[in-house]
Amino acid sequence: MSSIASRVARKQALADGLGSNDTAIKYNKQDFELLQKQCLQKGILFSDDTFPAKPSSLGYKELGPYSSKTRGVVWKRPTELCANPQFIVGGASRTDICQGALGDCWLLAAIASLTLDQEILARVVPSGQSFQENYAGIFHFQFWQYGAWVDVVIDDLLPTKDGQLLFVHSAEGSEFWSALLEKAYAKVNGSYEALSGGSTIEGFEDFTGGIAETYELSKAPPFLFKIITKALQRGSLLGCSIDITNSRDTEAITPMKLVKGHAYSLTGAEEVQYRGSTVQLVRIRNPWGQVEWIGPWSDDSREWSYIDPNEKAKLDYSADDGEFWMSFSDFLRNYSRLEICNLTPDTLSSDEVHKWNSYQFEGLWRVGSTAGGCRNNPATFSSNPQFTIKLDEVDDDPHDGKDGCTFLLGLMQKDGRKLRQTGNDLNTVGFAIYKVPDEYKGRTNIHLGPDVLLRQQAVAMSDTFINLREICNRMKLPPGEYVVVPSTFEPHKNGSFILRFFSEKEASTSRMDHDVKANIKEHNVSEGDVDPGFKQLFSQIAGKDSEISPFELRIILDKVVSQRTDIKHDGFTLDTCRNIVSLLDTDGSGTLGLVEFHVLWLKLQKYLEIFQHCDSDRSGTISSHELRGALLEAGFQLNNTVLQAVVGRFANAQYAMDFDSFVGCLIRIEMLFKMFNTLDRDKTGKIQLDVMQWLCLAVN
């Protein structure tokens, strides 16, 4: 119950604007300004009990409490490590970031790239922090985490060995912003060890909120140069690297002065006229600030002598600064991988930058309701969450010369690094895109079933199903309306995800799901409508008082249902019987009289008919995936969120319902709808309760 309340509260908070970079969510509900003020008033230094200076914060295996690598670790504040510690000196730069005894070079490469754009870095490293003014041993940083920005508070106790920082440190030793940023990022991921191993693109995304795409340059599309050019026009962050084949290759320098296994930035792309022909060039930056390419178009190569001086100046040509030009063809031959982080519109303040249009949705795969697996599972596939995309305008300047609507679609799983600590892994995920049939266009208050999705082929799919944090593909489709179905490869796998959509032109997107509503059939029965045979039966079972209490009702229902062999049951609960009485007791006696019991009997006959119709395999139960159809037959249209709650409350360990659970489910839902409708006097779809009213209704 509390987890459902938390999800509802988070959804409402995000809808109200919380989670932007300007109004970041306070991680662990820690308020930096309040905590800093309290420490200053008390004259103490902050200690963070949510990420304590203890072995558990270092790691769980290689850096676990009993690991030899963590022996002798002492947590110290920068004020204990040098006489005059500084937060940032002269602006953040690449020399502030030196790797320590942790395999998080991917993270450091991302941080180093951010130092090239102080505006973007300022979103991650809030200003006004120092070891001099208002110093209280407390700092904070902001990261994008699965759809929302979070503000992360830390103390400045850092792990050291032999008096030296164990992990990230600055080159000259007295600057600490990078070490503190690494600690904050370790905190949101569970430990320092959780940061070991990864891709620069992950850091790019968590520092910008952007969406990343990766290109293997051995299989580069023919229009990649155009994609690079447009990405740079949009202010995207671009990184490239050369694969290593063994550990000896790590940061090995090739004869042409390129560094293997090293993260480079791609900062420019231009076409120049060279001896009567057009040559495509790219500008690469080595974060080291030295060791540059010595091949064609390098700083001192003869090719530059054939370039007009004005054009050379326009290319920002300079020497010995770690940045160099090379031909695009040489780039493809020498580098292995290109990573592009496309930024959200709010990241870029310049009106001169062409911006993406971006949209995002949070979603859940839950066993028994929305974890349908891929299309290989036709019985459950359509139960996955569904999202619509409406593409109206074609690209202005298509990168491949063909008309169409270009977009990026990214499917990101949550909390992968935290899962490692419990020995779990990410799901294998992907997505499929289908055309919305004409009869459903413009509608979002529906959930497309197998009769729609399985009768057509997907118009586009993710390149593969894979167990990565995010899978992202660049796609182009004709104008039209489409439905995206994200899924795990296998059915019945729990997971949380973010679906993100970046389009070149404006588009409309929405979650596709049923409206929540009920069409409850009322049985207007008087005593004269009751068959004499039923009256006689009621007299026999009701006893002298002609009333049936919840306790008596339980005995009666169990006896009736136990005589059937075509349905499974394990006995009605007293809670269900109390709900039945509460729903049908019109005179407030707390029992059922003749007419009320007759109405119940009519309901049970209808419920049995629905149950048998939806029990497609004649197992005597209905699966949770069959439940959606059964609820519709009973008059209840629920969306995925409510359906997940219903399955969690009424299904068994195999995510199925026997007949008594099914009856309990329908009775409870009808009662809740009627309670809401009674209180919603103005029919606004909303009600307001005080705590006493809420508790009375909740325990009823």
Side-chain angles (χ1 to χ4, degrees):
M1 181 66 76
S2 60
S3 63
I4 295 174
S6 296
R7 288 200 297 271
V8 171
R10 173 182 166 84
K11 184 177 180 180
Q12 184 60 53
L14 294 177
D16 292 341
L18 187 65
S20 68
N21 187 249
D22 292 332
T23 55
I25 296 170
K26 292 175 174 55
Y27 190 73
N28 287 347
K29 299 181 180 180
Q30 291 175 299
D31 186 314
F32 169 75
E33 292 182 356
L34 178 61
L35 291 170
Q36 183 188 49
K37 182 179 179 180
Q38 290 174 347
C39 289
L40 290 171
Q41 288 175 341
K42 295 177 181 178
I44 60 174
L45 296 180
F46 177 65
S47 291
D48 183 11
D49 57 5
T50 70
F51 194 64
K54 294 180 179 179
S56 59
S57 297
L58 292 176
Y60 48 91
K61 190 176 180 182
E62 295 292 323
L63 295 177
Y66 304 106
S67 167
S68 59
K69 295 181 179 180
T70 60
R71 288 178 194 155
V73 169
V74 179
W75 297 76
K76 292 187 176 183
R77 300 185 189 269
T79 51
E80 300 174 84
L81 295 172
C82 63
N84 187 29
Q86 301 293 316
F87 186 66
I88 293 180
V89 179
S93 68
R94 58 176 177 77
T95 59
D96 302 340
I97 308 155
C98 299
Q99 188 173 356
L102 186 64
D104 62 348
C105 60
W106 61 275
L107 175 63
L108 310 193
I111 299 172
S113 293
L114 286 183
T115 63
L116 302 177
D117 192 318
Q118 295 299 312
E119 182 180 358
I120 295 177
L121 183 66
R123 291 162 62 91
V124 178
V125 186
S127 61
Q129 303 188 81
S130 88
F131 287 94
Q132 286 75 41
E133 187 176 351
N134 291 327
Y135 171 68
I138 183 172
F139 294 86
H140 68 133
F141 300 86
Q142 293 195 358
F143 307 114
W144 183 87
Q145 289 287 283
Y146 311 111
W149 284 87
V150 295
D151 190 85
V152 184
V153 171
I154 56 166
D155 60 34
D156 62 350
L157 285 159
L158 298 169
T160 69
K161 238 184 183 183
D162 301 322
Q164 301 294 320
L165 288 178
L166 189 59
F167 303 130
V168 167
H169 53 279
S170 65
E172 51 82 32
S174 62
E175 196 168 11
F176 289 92
W177 72 269
S178 59
L180 294 168
L181 187 154
E182 181 190 43
K183 178 173 183 177
Y185 198 60
K187 178 176 176 176
V188 298
N189 284 284
S191 68
Y192 277 95
E193 186 175 353
L195 305 183
S196 184
S199 167
T200 302
I201 218 69
E202 185 177 340
F204 276 163
E205 289 185 329
D206 286 353
F207 296 154
T208 66
I211 190 171
E213 51 183 328
T214 301
Y215 293 93
E216 299 297 329
L217 298 181
S218 60
K219 300 179 289 185
F223 43 81
L224 182 59
F225 186 80
K226 184 73 171 180
I227 291 175
I228 291 173
T229 302
K230 296 182 79 168
L232 291 166
Q233 290 171 351
R234 288 187 170 89
S236 303
L237 301 178
L238 286 77
C240 53
S241 59
I242 303 170
D243 285 346
I244 60 174
T245 55
N246 56 64
S247 58
R248 294 190 302 276
D249 278 351
T250 303
E251 297 196 340
I253 300 175
T254 71
M256 301 304 289
K257 301 298 182 183
L258 297 177
V259 185
K260 292 185 177 182
H262 186 57
Y264 287 83
S265 301
L266 194 156
T267 60
E270 298 286 348
E271 291 184 337
V272 298
Q273 294 301 312
Y274 173 69
R275 305 181 74 172
S277 62
T278 301
V279 177
Q280 295 175 332
L281 300 179
V282 291
R283 186 174 63 214
I284 311 294
R285 185 181 187 279
N286 182 347
W288 285 355
Q290 54 188 346
V291 187
E292 296 185 13
W293 163 256
I294 59 173
W297 299 100
S298 60
D299 288 352
D300 299 318
S301 68
R302 59 186 179 86
E303 284 80 8
W304 289 108
S305 61
Y306 295 95
I307 301 298
D308 180 88
N310 292 328
E311 188 167 21
K312 187 188 297 186
K314 184 186 73 173
L315 295 179
D316 194 22
Y317 167 81
S318 59
D320 299 327
D321 59 354
E323 200 163 53
F324 54 87
W325 290 91
M326 66 193 309
S327 71
F328 184 60
S329 56
D330 277 336
F331 172 71
L332 295 179
R333 277 192 291 270
N334 285 275
Y335 283 85
S336 308
R337 187 174 294 102
L338 172 70
E339 297 173 321
I340 303 175
C341 183
N342 303 278
L343 303 182
T344 55
D346 66 301
T347 309
L348 306 164
S349 59
S350 172
D351 293 331
E352 298 177 2
V353 176
H354 299 276
K355 301 177 182 179
W356 288 97
N357 298 284
S358 66
Y359 315 85
Q360 71 176 27
F361 300 93
E362 291 191 4
L364 294 170
W365 294 298
R366 284 294 176 263
V367 176
S369 55
T370 56
C374 70
R375 188 183 169 116
N376 296 346
N377 308 277
T380 56
F381 174 63
S382 64
S383 65
N384 285 298
Q386 300 174 8
F387 304 87
T388 58
I389 302 173
K390 188 178 181 184
L391 305 170
D392 292 320
E393 300 180 64
V394 298
D395 304 341
D396 288 333
D397 182 20
H399 55 260
D400 56 0
K402 300 176 182 178
D403 284 340
C405 309
T406 296
F407 61 92
L408 303 173
L409 191 61
L411 176 61
M412 176 181 286
Q413 302 186 71
K414 289 187 176 183
D415 298 325
R417 293 187 178 274
K418 288 184 178 178
L419 288 173
R420 290 182 187 175
Q421 301 181 44
T422 57
N424 295 312
D425 201 356
L426 292 166
N427 286 317
T428 300
V429 302
F431 55 80
I433 304 176
Y434 297 87
K435 285 199 71 172
V436 174
D438 291 343
E439 61 267 34
Y440 296 112
K441 286 183 177 177
R443 295 183 60 188
T444 59
N445 61 337
I446 56 172
H447 189 91
L448 299 180
D451 57 320
V452 176
L453 296 179
L454 299 181
R455 74 183 183 192
Q456 61 171 307
Q457 292 296 315
V459 296
M461 299 182 70
S462 53
D463 287 342
T464 184
F465 276 75
I466 193 168
N467 62 336
L468 293 178
R469 175 172 110 141
E470 182 174 43
I471 183 168
C472 177
N473 288 131
R474 177 182 289 259
M475 297 180 170
K476 177 181 281 192
L477 290 174
E481 197 166 332
Y482 302 90
V483 57
V484 180
V485 185
S487 72
T488 56
F489 183 74
E490 297 177 337
H492 317 308
K493 298 286 186 181
N494 285 323
S496 303
F497 65 86
I498 299 290
L499 187 73
R500 298 191 290 165
F501 175 76
F502 280 44
S503 60
E504 290 211 0
K505 307 289 281 187
E506 281 195 27
S508 57
T509 63
S510 61
R511 189 185 303 271
M512 197 174 231
D513 207 351
H514 286 307
D515 290 336
V516 177
K517 59 184 181 180
N519 180 20
I520 301 170
K521 182 181 178 181
E522 299 291 352
H523 295 278
N524 296 314
V525 178
S526 66
E527 188 169 343
D529 298 323
V530 181
D531 180 83
F534 189 87
K535 288 182 179 179
Q536 185 176 0
L537 173 65
F538 178 78
S539 297
Q540 293 173 358
I541 61 177
K544 294 180 180 179
D545 61 356
S546 295
E547 296 286 340
I548 297 176
S549 71
F551 304 95
E552 294 169 320
L553 181 61
R554 182 181 185 184
I555 297 170
I556 294 166
L557 294 180
D558 282 345
K559 185 175 181 179
V560 172
V561 174
S562 66
Q563 296 173 4
R564 303 194 65 103
T565 58
D566 55 342
I567 57 175
K568 289 186 178 179
H569 61 93
D570 59 3
F572 283 82
T573 67
L574 185 57
D575 188 45
T576 294
C577 295
R578 281 174 168 152
N579 284 336
I580 291 173
V581 172
S582 178
L583 177 66
L584 301 178
D585 175 23
T586 57
D587 59 7
S589 65
T591 58
L592 298 182
L594 171 63
V595 173
E596 296 161 340
F597 188 72
H598 189 258
V599 171
L600 171 60
W601 202 256
L602 294 175
K603 280 185 177 293
L604 290 177
Q605 288 178 318
K606 181 62 176 177
Y607 292 169
L608 181 60
E609 180 184 321
I610 294 171
F611 187 85
Q612 291 178 313
H613 176 250
C614 293
D615 179 14
S616 56
D617 60 357
R618 299 295 179 263
S619 64
T621 63
I622 60 172
S623 74
S624 54
H625 288 283
E626 294 168 329
L627 179 62
R628 190 191 297 268
L631 289 168
L632 281 171
E633 284 193 44
F636 305 113
Q637 182 174 282
L638 308 182
N639 63 18
N640 283 338
T641 301
V642 180
L643 191 64
Q644 288 164 11
V646 168
V647 170
R649 171 67 176 81
F650 293 99
N652 62 20
Q654 288 71 46
Y655 296 95
M657 286 189 192
D658 54 19
F659 183 65
D660 42 271
S661 294
F662 180 64
V663 171
C665 170
L666 294 184
I667 291 291
R668 182 67 177 168
I669 291 173
E670 181 176 343
M671 187 170 70
L672 290 171
F673 267 110
K674 286 189 171 181
M675 289 164 63
F676 184 91
N677 291 336
T678 299
L679 295 167
D680 183 18
R681 296 175 181 173
D682 298 326
K683 306 307 175 188
T684 62
K686 294 183 179 180
I687 60 175
Q688 186 171 345
L689 304 173
D690 61 32
V691 67
M692 181 273 292
Q693 293 168 326
W694 161 248
L695 289 173
C696 288
L697 288 173
V699 299
N700 190 354

